[in-house]
């Protein structure tokens, strides 16, 4: 049996907040010992592109630096931040094509929160960034929307 240190959740998405009260106030209360905080809190109206297929790819872009001393060949690493990168394909219902296309085009240069799943076990797939997309009209009754999401640091 292998034991590891307790891993705290670093990302969570709540998709079940009531939307029927547009003038409601949301209060976030943090309690705990030591230094606790919120790095980012995004509140907005969800928009579903389609159901994500299995095979979502998640990676990072590492902004660390590697400096090599030209004279002695030694290497110094300077740890930097990183940003997420997601690649996924969704099944898009044909009657939603125009609406989804317009919505994604409208937010092409606006950072948004992308959550392929609201399940906590997929929290690593949550990314805040900019998406590019393409739609594949594969069959009369099945369209696909592929998203490439470039996370922000």
């Amino acid at each position: 049996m292998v034991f590891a240190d307790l891993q705290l959740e670093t990302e969570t998405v709540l998709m079940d907040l009531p939307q029927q009260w547009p003038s409601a106030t949301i209060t976030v209360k943090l309690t705990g010992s030591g230094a606790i905080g919120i790095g980012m809190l995004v509140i907005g109206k969800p928009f579903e592109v389609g159901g994500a297929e299995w095979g979502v790819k998640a990676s990072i872009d590492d902004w660390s630096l590697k400096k090599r001393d030209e004279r002695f060949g030694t290497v110094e690493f300077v740890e930097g931040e990183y940003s997420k990168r997601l690649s996924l394909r969704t099944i898009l219902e044909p009657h939603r094509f125009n609406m989804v296309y317009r919505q994604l085009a409208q937010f092409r240069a606006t950072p948004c929160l992308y959550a392929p799943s609201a399940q906590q076990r997929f929290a690593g797939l949550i990314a805040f960034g900019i998406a590019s997309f393409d739609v594949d009209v594969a069959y009369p009754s099945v369209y696909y929307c592929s998203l490439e999401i470039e996370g922000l640091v």
Side-chain angles (χ1 to χ4, degrees), residues 25 82 86 97 100 126 138:
T25 300
Y82 70 90
L86 297 179
F97 166 73
V100 169
I126 298 169

Side-chain angles (χ1 to χ4, degrees), residues 110-126:
T110 303
C112 295
L113 181 71
Y114 293 89
S117 174
Q119 295 180 31
Q120 190 58 36
R121 67 185 179 134
F122 295 118
L125 300 179
I126 298 169

